[in-house]
Amino acid sequence: MLLGVIADDFTGATDIANIIAREGMKVAMTIGVPRDGFEIGDTQAVVVALKSRTIPAADAVAQSLKALAWLNERGAQQIFFKYCSTFDSTAEGNIGPVADALAEALGAEIAVVCPAFPKNGRTVFNGHLFVGRQLLQDSPMKDHPLTPMRRSDLVALMAEQSAHAVGLVPHDVVSSGETAIAEAFVRAIAADQRYAVVDAINDDHLRALGRAVRNHKLLTGGSALAMGLPANFGIAPRASHEAAQSKGTPVKTAILSGSCSAATRQQLVRAKELWPSLKIDLDALAENRPVVEEAIAWASAQPQDRPIVIYGSADPAEVEANQQRYGRQRAGELMEHALAAISKALVADGVGRLLVAGGETSGAVISALAIEGLSIGEEIAPGVPWTVTLSQSPLQVALKSGNFGGPDFFERALEIAG
Ligand SMILES: Nc1ncnc2c1ncn2[C@@H]1O[C@H](COP(=O)(O)OP(=O)(O)O)[C@@H](O)[C@H]1O
Ligand SMILES: O=C(O)[C@@H](O)C(=O)COP(=O)(O)O
Protein backbone atom coordinates (compact mmCIF):
# COMPACT_ATOMS: atom_id res chain seq x y z
CA MET A 1 0.00 0.00 0.00
CA LEU A 2 1.29 3.45 -0.90
CA LEU A 3 -1.25 5.79 0.61
CA GLY A 4 -3.34 5.27 3.74
CA VAL A 5 -6.24 7.64 4.35
CA ILE A 6 -8.19 8.11 7.56
CA ALA A 7 -11.42 10.01 6.81
CA ASP A 8 -13.52 11.52 9.59
CA ASP A 9 -16.83 10.88 7.84
CA PHE A 10 -18.28 8.65 5.13
CA THR A 11 -19.14 11.22 2.47
CA GLY A 12 -15.64 12.64 2.92
CA ALA A 13 -14.25 9.14 2.45
CA THR A 14 -16.00 8.62 -0.91
CA ASP A 15 -14.93 12.13 -1.87
CA ILE A 16 -11.21 11.46 -1.38
CA ALA A 17 -11.42 7.89 -2.72
CA ASN A 18 -12.95 9.35 -5.89
CA ILE A 19 -10.09 11.82 -6.32
CA ILE A 20 -7.38 9.23 -5.70
CA ALA A 21 -9.03 6.81 -8.15
CA ARG A 22 -9.30 9.44 -10.86
CA GLU A 23 -5.61 10.22 -10.39
CA GLY A 24 -4.86 6.59 -11.23
CA MET A 25 -4.43 4.73 -7.95
CA LYS A 26 -6.22 1.44 -7.24
CA VAL A 27 -8.24 2.42 -4.20
CA ALA A 28 -10.42 0.58 -1.69
CA MET A 29 -12.70 2.21 0.84
CA THR A 30 -13.46 0.38 4.05
CA ILE A 31 -16.19 1.15 6.53
CA GLY A 32 -14.35 1.49 9.82
CA VAL A 33 -11.19 -0.46 10.52
CA PRO A 34 -11.56 -3.68 8.52
CA ARG A 35 -12.07 -7.03 10.20
CA ASP A 36 -9.16 -9.50 10.33
CA GLY A 37 -8.68 -11.19 6.99
CA PHE A 38 -9.91 -8.25 4.88
CA GLU A 39 -7.86 -8.61 1.68
CA ILE A 40 -6.36 -5.51 0.09
CA GLY A 41 -4.87 -7.38 -2.89
CA ASP A 42 -3.03 -5.02 -5.23
CA THR A 43 -4.75 -1.94 -3.84
CA GLN A 44 -2.43 1.08 -3.74
CA ALA A 45 -4.53 3.28 -1.47
CA VAL A 46 -6.98 2.41 1.28
CA VAL A 47 -9.44 4.93 2.68
CA VAL A 48 -10.71 3.99 6.13
CA ALA A 49 -14.03 5.74 6.68
CA LEU A 50 -14.71 6.67 10.30
CA LYS A 51 -17.67 8.50 11.79
CA SER A 52 -15.43 10.50 14.09
CA ARG A 53 -16.14 14.13 13.24
CA THR A 54 -18.59 14.87 16.01
CA ILE A 55 -17.89 12.20 18.64
CA PRO A 56 -15.91 12.97 21.83
CA ALA A 57 -12.28 13.83 20.98
CA ALA A 58 -10.82 10.92 22.97
CA ASP A 59 -12.93 8.44 20.97
CA ALA A 60 -11.97 10.09 17.69
CA VAL A 61 -8.30 9.81 18.65
CA ALA A 62 -8.65 6.15 19.66
CA GLN A 63 -10.46 5.19 16.42
CA SER A 64 -7.98 7.12 14.27
CA LEU A 65 -4.99 5.47 15.96
CA LYS A 66 -6.56 2.07 15.39
CA ALA A 67 -6.99 2.90 11.71
CA LEU A 68 -3.39 4.11 11.59
CA ALA A 69 -2.11 0.88 13.10
CA TRP A 70 -4.05 -1.15 10.51
CA LEU A 71 -2.72 0.97 7.62
CA ASN A 72 0.85 0.86 8.96
CA GLU A 73 0.74 -2.91 9.33
CA ARG A 74 -0.06 -3.07 5.62
CA GLY A 75 2.89 -0.88 4.71
CA ALA A 76 1.26 2.50 4.00
CA GLN A 77 4.06 4.86 3.00
CA GLN A 78 2.18 8.08 3.67
CA ILE A 79 -0.83 8.83 5.85
CA PHE A 80 -3.54 11.35 4.99
CA PHE A 81 -6.01 12.57 7.62
CA LYS A 82 -9.04 13.72 5.61
CA TYR A 83 -11.46 16.20 7.16
CA CYS A 84 -14.04 18.49 5.66
CA SER A 85 -13.26 21.18 3.10
CA THR A 86 -15.11 23.50 5.47
CA PHE A 87 -12.96 22.34 8.43
CA ASP A 88 -16.11 21.06 10.18
CA SER A 89 -15.43 20.60 13.86
CA THR A 90 -17.43 20.84 17.03
CA ALA A 91 -16.70 23.54 19.62
CA GLU A 92 -14.23 21.18 21.31
CA GLY A 93 -12.79 20.21 17.93
CA ASN A 94 -11.52 16.79 16.87
CA ILE A 95 -9.21 17.80 14.04
CA GLY A 96 -6.42 19.09 16.32
CA PRO A 97 -6.40 16.16 18.78
CA VAL A 98 -6.54 13.54 16.00
CA ALA A 99 -3.79 15.26 13.99
CA ASP A 100 -1.65 15.58 17.14
CA ALA A 101 -2.03 11.88 17.92
CA LEU A 102 -1.30 10.78 14.35
CA ALA A 103 1.75 13.07 14.10
CA GLU A 104 3.07 11.77 17.40
CA ALA A 105 2.57 8.12 16.41
CA LEU A 106 4.22 8.68 13.04
CA GLY A 107 7.04 10.87 14.35
CA ALA A 108 5.99 13.57 11.87
CA GLU A 109 7.90 16.82 12.37
CA ILE A 110 5.47 18.82 10.29
CA ALA A 111 2.06 18.32 8.73
CA VAL A 112 0.17 20.55 6.35
CA VAL A 113 -3.35 21.79 7.04
CA CYS A 114 -5.11 22.47 3.76
CA PRO A 115 -8.88 21.99 3.36
CA ALA A 116 -8.95 23.83 -0.02
CA PHE A 117 -11.17 22.27 -2.71
CA PRO A 118 -11.23 24.91 -5.47
CA LYS A 119 -13.61 22.98 -7.78
CA ASN A 120 -16.18 23.19 -5.00
CA GLY A 121 -15.38 26.82 -4.17
CA ARG A 122 -13.31 26.19 -1.05
CA THR A 123 -10.10 28.22 -1.11
CA VAL A 124 -7.53 29.22 1.49
CA PHE A 125 -6.08 32.73 1.27
CA ASN A 126 -3.84 34.26 3.93
CA GLY A 127 -4.86 31.37 6.12
CA HIS A 128 -8.57 32.17 5.88
CA LEU A 129 -11.02 29.63 4.50
CA PHE A 130 -13.49 30.84 1.88
CA VAL A 131 -16.64 29.14 0.61
CA GLY A 132 -17.27 30.72 -2.77
CA ARG A 133 -16.93 34.46 -2.24
CA GLN A 134 -17.77 34.28 1.44
CA LEU A 135 -15.57 33.69 4.43
CA LEU A 136 -16.41 30.34 6.03
CA GLN A 137 -17.93 32.18 9.02
CA ASP A 138 -20.38 34.05 6.75
CA SER A 139 -21.28 31.01 4.62
CA PRO A 140 -24.26 28.69 5.30
CA MET A 141 -21.79 26.61 7.38
CA LYS A 142 -22.42 29.07 10.22
CA ASP A 143 -25.79 27.32 10.71
CA HIS A 144 -24.68 23.68 10.45
CA PRO A 145 -26.72 21.54 12.88
CA LEU A 146 -23.69 19.84 14.47
CA THR A 147 -20.61 21.79 13.46
CA PRO A 148 -21.53 25.47 13.06
CA MET A 149 -18.40 27.25 11.80
CA ARG A 150 -18.24 30.80 13.11
CA ARG A 151 -14.55 31.54 12.39
CA SER A 152 -12.51 31.33 9.22
CA ASP A 153 -8.91 31.78 10.40
CA LEU A 154 -7.43 28.31 10.03
CA VAL A 155 -4.22 29.16 11.88
CA ALA A 156 -6.24 30.26 14.91
CA LEU A 157 -8.72 27.35 14.65
CA MET A 158 -5.95 24.75 14.43
CA ALA A 159 -3.88 26.40 17.18
CA GLU A 160 -6.91 26.32 19.45
CA GLN A 161 -7.51 22.61 18.83
CA SER A 162 -3.89 21.40 18.80
CA ALA A 163 -1.27 21.29 21.55
CA HIS A 164 1.34 22.55 19.05
CA ALA A 165 2.34 25.74 17.27
CA VAL A 166 0.81 26.47 13.87
CA GLY A 167 2.32 28.55 11.06
CA LEU A 168 1.23 29.75 7.63
CA VAL A 169 2.68 29.20 4.17
CA PRO A 170 1.12 32.15 2.34
CA HIS A 171 0.01 32.39 -1.29
CA ASP A 172 3.10 34.20 -2.59
CA VAL A 173 5.26 31.29 -1.44
CA VAL A 174 2.80 28.74 -2.82
CA SER A 175 2.71 30.56 -6.18
CA SER A 176 6.51 30.33 -6.34
CA GLY A 177 6.23 26.56 -6.51
CA GLU A 178 7.33 23.34 -4.95
CA THR A 179 10.88 24.34 -3.89
CA ALA A 180 9.73 27.54 -2.19
CA ILE A 181 6.97 25.62 -0.38
CA ALA A 182 9.42 22.94 0.78
CA GLU A 183 11.78 25.67 2.07
CA ALA A 184 8.91 27.20 4.02
CA PHE A 185 8.40 23.81 5.73
CA VAL A 186 12.08 23.76 6.76
CA ARG A 187 11.61 27.21 8.33
CA ALA A 188 8.42 26.09 10.05
CA ILE A 189 10.18 23.10 11.61
CA ALA A 190 13.04 25.35 12.75
CA ALA A 191 10.43 27.61 14.39
CA ASP A 192 9.02 24.57 16.22
CA GLN A 193 5.76 24.63 14.33
CA ARG A 194 4.06 21.26 14.00
CA TYR A 195 1.49 22.42 11.45
CA ALA A 196 1.62 24.63 8.41
CA VAL A 197 -1.66 26.00 7.11
CA VAL A 198 -1.06 26.34 3.36
CA ASP A 199 -2.82 28.80 1.08
CA ALA A 200 -4.31 27.32 -2.09
CA ILE A 201 -6.76 29.01 -4.39
CA ASN A 202 -6.50 26.76 -7.43
CA ASP A 203 -5.60 23.22 -8.45
CA ASP A 204 -2.10 24.27 -9.59
CA HIS A 205 -1.39 25.36 -6.02
CA LEU A 206 -2.57 22.00 -4.71
CA ARG A 207 -0.46 20.09 -7.22
CA ALA A 208 2.65 22.13 -6.30
CA LEU A 209 1.88 21.49 -2.64
CA GLY A 210 1.40 17.80 -3.43
CA ARG A 211 4.92 17.64 -4.84
CA ALA A 212 6.36 19.58 -1.89
CA VAL A 213 4.94 17.11 0.67
CA ARG A 214 6.35 14.06 -1.10
CA ASN A 215 8.41 13.16 1.99
CA HIS A 216 5.91 14.13 4.68
CA LYS A 217 4.75 11.25 6.83
CA LEU A 218 1.40 12.86 7.60
CA LEU A 219 -0.82 15.15 5.56
CA THR A 220 -4.04 16.71 6.78
CA GLY A 221 -6.70 18.37 4.69
CA GLY A 222 -9.57 18.17 2.30
CA SER A 223 -9.80 15.69 -0.55
CA ALA A 224 -8.39 17.96 -3.25
CA LEU A 225 -4.98 17.93 -1.56
CA ALA A 226 -4.77 14.27 -2.57
CA MET A 227 -4.86 15.25 -6.25
CA GLY A 228 -1.12 15.62 -6.56
CA LEU A 229 -0.12 12.57 -4.50
CA PRO A 230 -0.40 9.59 -6.90
CA ALA A 231 2.11 11.32 -9.24
CA ASN A 232 4.66 11.27 -6.39
CA PHE A 233 4.51 7.48 -6.60
CA GLY A 234 4.93 7.51 -10.39
CA ILE A 235 1.22 6.89 -11.07
CA ALA A 236 -0.55 8.67 -13.94
CA PRO A 237 -4.24 9.70 -14.04
CA ARG A 238 -6.63 7.30 -15.72
CA ALA A 239 -8.17 8.45 -18.99
CA SER A 240 -11.59 7.29 -17.88
CA HIS A 241 -12.74 5.80 -14.67
CA GLU A 242 -14.70 2.60 -15.15
CA ALA A 243 -18.26 2.53 -13.89
CA ALA A 244 -18.67 0.19 -10.99
CA GLN A 245 -22.36 -0.37 -11.55
CA SER A 246 -24.19 -2.21 -14.32
CA LYS A 247 -26.48 0.02 -16.34
CA GLY A 248 -29.76 -0.55 -18.06
CA THR A 249 -31.52 -2.75 -15.50
CA PRO A 250 -34.32 -1.09 -13.52
CA VAL A 251 -33.35 -0.69 -9.88
CA LYS A 252 -35.66 0.41 -7.06
CA THR A 253 -34.27 3.72 -5.88
CA ALA A 254 -34.53 5.73 -2.67
CA ILE A 255 -33.16 9.15 -1.76
CA LEU A 256 -32.62 9.63 1.96
CA SER A 257 -31.57 12.99 3.32
CA GLY A 258 -30.68 14.18 6.80
CA SER A 259 -28.50 16.95 5.46
CA CYS A 260 -29.72 20.43 6.34
CA SER A 261 -27.06 22.11 4.21
CA ALA A 262 -28.11 24.86 1.82
CA ALA A 263 -27.16 22.86 -1.30
CA THR A 264 -29.11 19.78 -0.20
CA ARG A 265 -32.20 21.81 0.65
CA GLN A 266 -32.14 23.32 -2.83
CA GLN A 267 -31.68 19.88 -4.40
CA LEU A 268 -34.62 18.56 -2.40
CA VAL A 269 -36.93 21.30 -3.71
CA ARG A 270 -36.36 19.91 -7.18
CA ALA A 271 -36.50 16.24 -6.16
CA LYS A 272 -39.83 16.79 -4.38
CA GLU A 273 -41.31 18.26 -7.57
CA LEU A 274 -40.28 15.16 -9.50
CA TRP A 275 -40.88 12.22 -7.17
CA PRO A 276 -43.05 11.12 -4.23
CA SER A 277 -41.62 12.49 -0.99
CA LEU A 278 -42.10 12.17 2.75
CA LYS A 279 -40.79 14.36 5.53
CA ILE A 280 -39.83 12.75 8.82
CA ASP A 281 -41.33 14.60 11.76
CA LEU A 282 -38.74 15.03 14.51
CA ASP A 283 -41.35 15.85 17.18
CA ALA A 284 -43.16 12.60 16.41
CA LEU A 285 -39.86 10.72 16.67
CA ALA A 286 -39.15 12.33 20.03
CA GLU A 287 -42.62 11.28 21.21
CA ASN A 288 -41.84 7.69 20.21
CA ARG A 289 -44.61 7.61 17.64
CA PRO A 290 -44.27 4.87 14.95
CA VAL A 291 -42.69 7.24 12.45
CA VAL A 292 -40.29 4.69 11.03
CA GLU A 293 -42.99 2.06 10.54
CA GLU A 294 -45.25 4.63 8.86
CA ALA A 295 -42.45 5.70 6.53
CA ILE A 296 -41.79 2.10 5.55
CA ALA A 297 -45.49 1.53 4.85
CA TRP A 298 -45.63 4.77 2.84
CA ALA A 299 -42.61 3.68 0.78
CA SER A 300 -44.08 0.32 -0.10
CA ALA A 301 -47.31 2.00 -1.25
CA GLN A 302 -45.45 4.16 -3.82
CA PRO A 303 -45.03 3.19 -7.48
CA GLN A 304 -42.04 0.84 -7.50
CA ASP A 305 -40.60 2.19 -10.74
CA ARG A 306 -40.06 5.74 -9.46
CA PRO A 307 -37.50 7.01 -6.98
CA ILE A 308 -38.85 7.98 -3.57
CA VAL A 309 -37.56 10.74 -1.32
CA ILE A 310 -37.52 10.51 2.48
CA TYR A 311 -35.97 13.38 4.36
CA GLY A 312 -35.57 15.12 7.69
CA SER A 313 -33.75 18.10 6.21
CA ALA A 314 -34.97 21.42 7.49
CA ASP A 315 -33.96 25.07 7.30
CA PRO A 316 -31.82 26.73 10.01
CA ALA A 317 -34.84 28.14 11.93
CA GLU A 318 -36.50 24.72 12.20
CA VAL A 319 -33.22 23.01 13.14
CA GLU A 320 -32.62 25.66 15.80
CA ALA A 321 -36.12 25.15 17.24
CA ASN A 322 -35.62 21.36 17.31
CA GLN A 323 -32.27 21.75 19.03
CA GLN A 324 -33.80 24.07 21.65
CA ARG A 325 -36.41 21.40 22.34
CA TYR A 326 -34.32 18.24 22.28
CA GLY A 327 -30.66 19.31 22.39
CA ARG A 328 -28.24 19.47 19.46
CA GLN A 329 -26.96 15.96 19.78
CA ARG A 330 -30.25 14.22 20.52
CA ALA A 331 -32.05 15.96 17.66
CA GLY A 332 -29.32 14.81 15.28
CA GLU A 333 -29.29 11.28 16.59
CA LEU A 334 -33.07 10.89 16.49
CA MET A 335 -33.10 11.75 12.79
CA GLU A 336 -30.01 9.70 11.96
CA HIS A 337 -31.38 6.60 13.70
CA ALA A 338 -34.74 6.94 11.98
CA LEU A 339 -33.24 7.31 8.50
CA ALA A 340 -30.88 4.41 9.20
CA ALA A 341 -33.75 2.14 10.28
CA ILE A 342 -35.80 3.16 7.24
CA SER A 343 -32.89 2.45 4.89
CA LYS A 344 -32.50 -1.03 6.35
CA ALA A 345 -36.15 -1.82 5.74
CA LEU A 346 -36.07 -0.37 2.23
CA VAL A 347 -33.07 -2.50 1.27
CA ALA A 348 -34.72 -5.58 2.75
CA ASP A 349 -37.73 -4.69 0.59
CA GLY A 350 -35.70 -4.65 -2.64
CA VAL A 351 -34.31 -1.13 -2.94
CA GLY A 352 -31.03 -1.57 -4.79
CA ARG A 353 -29.95 2.02 -5.26
CA LEU A 354 -29.57 4.51 -2.42
CA LEU A 355 -28.67 8.17 -2.57
CA VAL A 356 -27.89 9.49 0.88
CA ALA A 357 -27.37 13.19 1.56
CA GLY A 358 -25.33 14.23 4.58
CA GLY A 359 -22.10 13.01 6.11
CA GLU A 360 -23.42 12.03 9.53
CA THR A 361 -26.55 10.66 7.91
CA SER A 362 -24.48 8.55 5.51
CA GLY A 363 -22.47 7.25 8.44
CA ALA A 364 -25.63 6.16 10.22
CA VAL A 365 -27.19 4.57 7.11
CA ILE A 366 -24.09 2.71 5.91
CA SER A 367 -23.33 1.44 9.42
CA ALA A 368 -26.91 0.18 9.83
CA LEU A 369 -26.61 -1.72 6.55
CA ALA A 370 -23.48 -3.45 7.91
CA ILE A 371 -21.48 -2.75 4.76
CA GLU A 372 -17.80 -3.62 4.83
CA GLY A 373 -16.55 -1.38 2.05
CA LEU A 374 -17.36 0.44 -1.17
CA SER A 375 -15.84 0.41 -4.62
CA ILE A 376 -15.69 3.71 -6.46
CA GLY A 377 -17.55 4.26 -9.72
CA GLU A 378 -18.46 7.18 -11.93
CA GLU A 379 -18.33 10.76 -10.65
CA ILE A 380 -21.70 12.50 -10.38
CA ALA A 381 -20.42 15.91 -9.28
CA PRO A 382 -17.02 17.04 -7.97
CA GLY A 383 -16.46 15.06 -4.78
CA VAL A 384 -19.42 12.68 -5.19
CA PRO A 385 -19.00 9.34 -6.96
CA TRP A 386 -21.38 6.46 -7.45
CA THR A 387 -20.14 3.49 -5.44
CA VAL A 388 -21.01 -0.18 -5.17
CA THR A 389 -21.05 -1.91 -1.82
CA LEU A 390 -18.68 -4.80 -1.17
CA SER A 391 -21.39 -7.14 0.02
CA GLN A 392 -23.13 -10.35 -1.01
CA SER A 393 -25.99 -8.44 -2.58
CA PRO A 394 -24.26 -5.32 -3.90
CA LEU A 395 -26.10 -2.02 -3.68
CA GLN A 396 -25.49 1.11 -5.71
CA VAL A 397 -24.84 3.92 -3.29
CA ALA A 398 -24.02 7.61 -3.60
CA LEU A 399 -23.08 9.47 -0.44
CA LYS A 400 -23.50 13.19 -1.03
CA SER A 401 -21.67 15.71 1.10
CA GLY A 402 -24.11 18.33 2.31
CA ASN A 403 -22.87 21.22 0.26
CA PHE A 404 -21.80 19.38 -2.87
CA GLY A 405 -23.62 19.13 -6.18
CA GLY A 406 -25.78 21.50 -8.22
CA PRO A 407 -29.57 21.94 -7.87
CA ASP A 408 -30.20 19.00 -10.26
CA PHE A 409 -27.84 16.66 -8.41
CA PHE A 410 -30.33 13.84 -7.86
CA GLU A 411 -31.58 13.82 -11.46
CA ARG A 412 -28.02 13.89 -12.71
CA ALA A 413 -27.06 11.03 -10.43
CA LEU A 414 -29.92 8.89 -11.75
CA GLU A 415 -29.12 9.76 -15.36
CA ILE A 416 -25.53 8.62 -14.84
CA ALA A 417 -26.65 5.44 -13.08
CA GLY A 418 -28.63 4.61 -16.23
N1 LIG B 1 -35.13 18.52 11.12
C1 LIG B 1 -33.98 18.38 11.79
N2 LIG B 1 -33.77 18.98 12.98
C2 LIG B 1 -32.59 18.85 13.65
N3 LIG B 1 -31.56 18.13 13.19
C3 LIG B 1 -31.71 17.50 12.01
C4 LIG B 1 -32.91 17.60 11.25
N4 LIG B 1 -32.77 16.88 10.11
C5 LIG B 1 -31.55 16.36 10.14
N5 LIG B 1 -30.89 16.72 11.28
C6 LIG B 1 -29.52 16.35 11.68
O1 LIG B 1 -28.57 17.28 11.12
C7 LIG B 1 -27.33 16.61 10.94
C8 LIG B 1 -26.88 16.89 9.52
O2 LIG B 1 -25.57 16.46 9.37
P1 LIG B 1 -25.10 15.65 8.10
O3 LIG B 1 -25.91 14.43 7.90
O4 LIG B 1 -23.61 15.46 8.27
O5 LIG B 1 -25.38 16.63 6.89
P2 LIG B 1 -24.35 17.58 6.12
O6 LIG B 1 -23.57 16.69 5.22
O7 LIG B 1 -25.19 18.52 5.36
O8 LIG B 1 -23.44 18.20 7.10
C9 LIG B 1 -27.57 15.14 11.21
O9 LIG B 1 -27.14 14.80 12.51
C10 LIG B 1 -29.09 15.03 11.08
O10 LIG B 1 -29.64 13.95 11.82
O1 LIG C 1 -14.51 17.84 2.25
C1 LIG C 1 -15.72 17.91 2.08
O2 LIG C 1 -16.35 18.98 1.96
C2 LIG C 1 -16.52 16.62 2.08
O3 LIG C 1 -15.73 15.54 1.69
C3 LIG C 1 -17.05 16.39 3.44
O4 LIG C 1 -16.37 15.87 4.30
C4 LIG C 1 -18.40 16.92 3.65
O5 LIG C 1 -19.00 16.57 4.90
P1 LIG C 1 -20.59 16.69 5.03
O6 LIG C 1 -21.00 18.02 4.49
O7 LIG C 1 -20.92 16.51 6.46
O8 LIG C 1 -21.18 15.59 4.19
Side-chain angles (χ1 to χ4, degrees):
M1 191 196 311
L2 304 174
L3 189 62
V5 181
I6 302 166
D8 72 350
D9 86 340
F10 289 24
T11 46
T14 60
D15 173 9
I16 193 166
N18 176 50
I19 288 189
I20 295 168
R22 293 169 71 80
E23 293 293 326
M25 272 186 170
K26 289 194 183 115
V27 57
M29 177 180 151
T30 71
I31 304 300
V33 179
R35 60 170 168 84
D36 286 345
F38 182 88
E39 291 297 333
I40 64 162
D42 61 351
T43 300
Q44 296 162 314
V46 176
V47 179
V48 178
L50 301 179
K51 191 177 184 302
S52 57
R53 189 172 288 175
T54 60
I55 63 178
D59 296 343
V61 167
Q63 289 186 21
S64 305
L65 287 175
K66 220 172 131 198
L68 175 68
W70 189 90
L71 293 165
N72 276 343
E73 277 162 26
R74 278 145 195 89
Q77 294 179 24
Q78 189 169 48
I79 297 294
F80 192 123
F81 170 36
K82 155 73 178 75
Y83 42 77
C84 193
S85 62
T86 43
F87 208 76
D88 295 15
S89 27
T90 57
E92 299 73 35
N94 286 354
I95 295 176
V98 169
D100 284 358
L102 295 175
E104 178 88 24
L106 286 163
E109 284 182 297
I110 184 94
V112 294
V113 172
C114 187
F117 192 163
K119 276 202 184 71
N120 273 318
R122 279 78 159 142
T123 53
V124 182
F125 186 69
N126 283 329
H128 290 260
L129 183 53
F130 287 81
V131 176
R133 293 176 58 190
Q134 290 175 306
L135 279 167
L136 174 65
Q137 68 200 52
D138 300 322
S139 79
M141 276 308 297
K142 69 183 186 315
D143 299 316
H144 190 278
L146 304 176
T147 53
M149 298 305 291
R150 305 270 160 93
R151 296 170 74 186
S152 315
D153 180 345
L154 291 170
V155 176
L157 276 165
M158 189 64 181
E160 208 172 74
Q161 294 187 17
S162 162
H164 300 279
V166 184
L168 172 69
V169 180
H171 56 93
D172 52 336
V173 174
V174 177
S175 300
S176 304
E178 167 192 352
T179 310
I181 303 171
E183 285 166 3
F185 293 144
V186 174
R187 290 194 295 277
I189 294 169
D192 249 347
Q193 291 165 355
R194 174 64 54 84
Y195 299 104
V197 171
V198 184
D199 278 358
I201 61 169
N202 58 41
D203 285 357
D204 289 343
H205 291 154
L206 288 169
R207 289 196 186 270
L209 174 58
R211 289 188 292 275
V213 297
R214 176 188 299 262
N215 297 318
H216 287 203
K217 293 176 178 159
L218 174 68
L219 311 176
T220 88
S223 58
L225 171 60
M227 223 169 30
L229 305 181
N232 289 343
F233 297 99
I235 293 167
R238 265 188 240 165
S240 76
H241 189 67
E242 83 263 22
Q245 68 265 15
S246 58
K247 298 191 179 195
T249 16
V251 185
K252 259 169 96 172
T253 300
I255 296 169
L256 293 169
S257 176
S259 162
C260 300
S261 292
T264 305
R265 286 187 282 116
Q266 205 185 3
Q267 290 153 359
L268 282 174
V269 170
R270 187 126 164 184
K272 285 190 283 180
E273 284 166 10
L274 293 171
W275 305 305
S277 63
L278 178 75
K279 181 165 185 190
I280 300 298
D281 179 350
L282 195 77
D283 291 320
L285 280 175
E287 288 160 17
N288 274 323
R289 302 213 310 255
V291 180
V292 169
E293 293 75 5
E294 283 166 16
I296 295 165
W298 173 85
S300 67
Q302 302 311 308
Q304 301 297 297
D305 57 348
R306 296 181 67 201
I308 55 164
V309 184
I310 300 181
Y311 65 101
S313 314
D315 62 27
E318 190 177 329
V319 170
E320 166 79 22
N322 285 339
Q323 293 185 341
Q324 296 281 347
R325 244 171 275 153
Y326 309 114
R328 184 191 296 268
Q329 203 182 336
R330 177 147 184 266
E333 281 172 5
L334 279 170
M335 192 58 79
E336 287 176 35
H337 291 160
L339 291 173
I342 293 167
S343 72
K344 247 178 113 168
L346 294 180
V347 169
D349 195 35
V351 165
R353 185 182 284 149
L354 276 180
L355 289 112
V356 190
E360 296 297 322
T361 308
S362 296
V365 165
I366 296 297
S367 303
L369 294 172
I371 286 161
E372 200 171 26
L374 301 171
S375 73
I376 304 297
E378 245 176 293
E379 186 177 69
I380 305 165
V384 197
W386 271 112
T387 71
V388 175
T389 59
L390 306 177
S391 44
Q392 277 187 336
S393 316
L395 290 173
Q396 295 174 19
V397 175
L399 307 180
K400 193 199 78 73
S401 294
N403 276 310
F404 286 179
D408 61 349
F409 174 85
F410 294 118
E411 283 159 88
R412 198 176 143 61
L414 296 180
E415 254 169 52
I416 290 174

